[in-house]
Amino acid sequence: DAKTTQPPSMDCAEGRAANLPCNHSTISGNEYVYWYRQIHSQGPQYIIHGLKNNETNEMASLIITEDRKSSTLILPHATLRDTAVYYCIVRGFGNEKLTFGTGTRLTIIP
Amino acid sequence: EAGVAQSPRYKIIEKRQSVAFWCNPISGHATLYWYQQILGQGPKLLIQFQNNGVVDDSQLPKDRFSAERLKGVDSTLKIQPAKLEDSAVYLCASSLGQGSYNSPLHFGNGTRLTVT
């Protein structure tokens, strides 16, 4: 399984963009990068995923480097409700299940 | 679209008792997963079903845990007998099907089990 490395914690001021990095240097060509978050007492919530190209949806943007060895999740205007643990996960052939690490605990500061 | 439904939301039992959790996946999702999440850790896969067949149960403690998905829709996870270390949140997730790596897993809000 391709492993990911994330910082254990980050802070971001409310209203600013939150940029969460993830390293996945052993990713294979057919593996996707997925991002989930988990707010206290809830199940993991799907945010976004991508293969090669940058992706954007109503929640966030995902920037994947050209060599695909790292990515950044961007929450454009962070609110207090974005305080959560964010998981970066690599998923693909032979690794269909999601294997969670310890993630990044993001705290949005008023 | 209705999400993944789980019940009960909370359960407290004494050690050596038995307990069962229920999951109803998103309609049309062929793959169903049970995860265990111990406080402070990320979720860990216990078992994966494709329709009513088991794909991966390598992390399931089979001496005390069992799971079934008889008609390929709902699923139950059972623990018998429970131990103190089974205290955790049990999460159910579903996805379209095996090989659909471009389709995300969707999780329920879990059952919080406390074993005393």
Side-chain angles (χ1 to χ4, degrees):
Chain A
D1 297 353
K3 300 202 181 298
T4 63
T5 303
Q6 300 178 253
S9 64
M10 293 181 62
D11 294 337
C12 179
E14 188 178 16
R16 304 296 294 269
N19 295 275
L20 291 89
C22 179
N23 286 323
H24 31 79
S25 58
T26 60
I27 193 170
S28 299
N30 58 359
E31 290 182 315
Y32 290 82
V33 179
Y34 275 78
W35 283 84
Y36 281 76
R37 73 180 182 185
Q38 190 169 25
I39 296 169
H40 183 61
S41 296
Q42 296 183 21
Q45 177 190 23
Y46 166 75
I47 302 174
I48 198 167
H49 73 285
L51 183 63
K52 298 179 183 177
N53 301 321
N54 299 337
E55 302 287 344
T56 296
N57 63 20
E58 64 279 5
M59 291 182 66
S61 294
L62 173 61
I63 308 298
I64 303 173
T65 58
E66 192 168 344
D67 63 8
R68 304 211 322 125
K69 293 183 176 181
S70 65
S71 61
T72 302
L73 178 74
I74 301 173
L75 308 177
H77 305 287
T79 71
L80 298 179
R81 285 176 292 183
D82 292 322
T83 292
V85 177
Y86 288 76
Y87 296 99
C88 169
I89 302 165
V90 170
R91 180 188 186 214
F93 180 77
N95 182 31
E96 184 185 348
K97 65 190 179 190
L98 294 177
T99 301
F100 289 82
T102 53
T104 295
R105 181 172 298 279
L106 175 68
T107 302
I108 306 302
I109 301 171
Chain B
E1 160 181 274
V4 176
Q6 291 189 247
S7 67
R9 189 78 171 89
Y10 304 94
K11 189 74 176 178
I12 301 174
I13 62 172
E14 295 182 351
K15 59 183 179 183
R16 292 187 289 274
Q17 287 187 324
S18 63
V19 64
F21 314 124
W22 174 81
C23 172
N24 181 246
I26 292 173
S27 177
H29 279 193
T31 306
L32 185 146
Y33 310 77
W34 283 102
Y35 282 80
Q36 179 193 58
Q37 186 172 24
I38 294 172
L39 187 65
Q41 300 180 16
K44 182 187 81 172
L45 180 72
L46 291 175
I47 189 168
Q48 175 185 346
F49 290 95
Q50 173 73 10
N51 296 311
N52 60 351
V54 175
V55 174
D56 183 354
D57 63 356
S58 57
Q59 298 297 308
L60 187 73
K62 299 180 186 63
D63 58 333
R64 299 184 298 106
F65 285 64
S66 64
E68 60 183 14
R69 193 183 184 201
L70 291 176
K71 296 184 179 180
V73 181
D74 293 5
S75 177
T76 56
L77 176 69
K78 297 179 182 178
I79 308 175
Q80 182 179 17
K83 292 185 176 181
L84 296 177
E85 59 260 38
D86 298 331
S87 294
V89 176
Y90 291 85
L91 295 159
C92 179
S94 69
S95 68
L96 273 178
Q98 194 169 1
S100 301
Y101 312 113
N102 195 24
S103 175
L105 275 68
H106 296 275
F107 286 80
N109 282 326
T111 297
R112 181 176 297 276
L113 173 67
T114 302
V115 182
T116 63

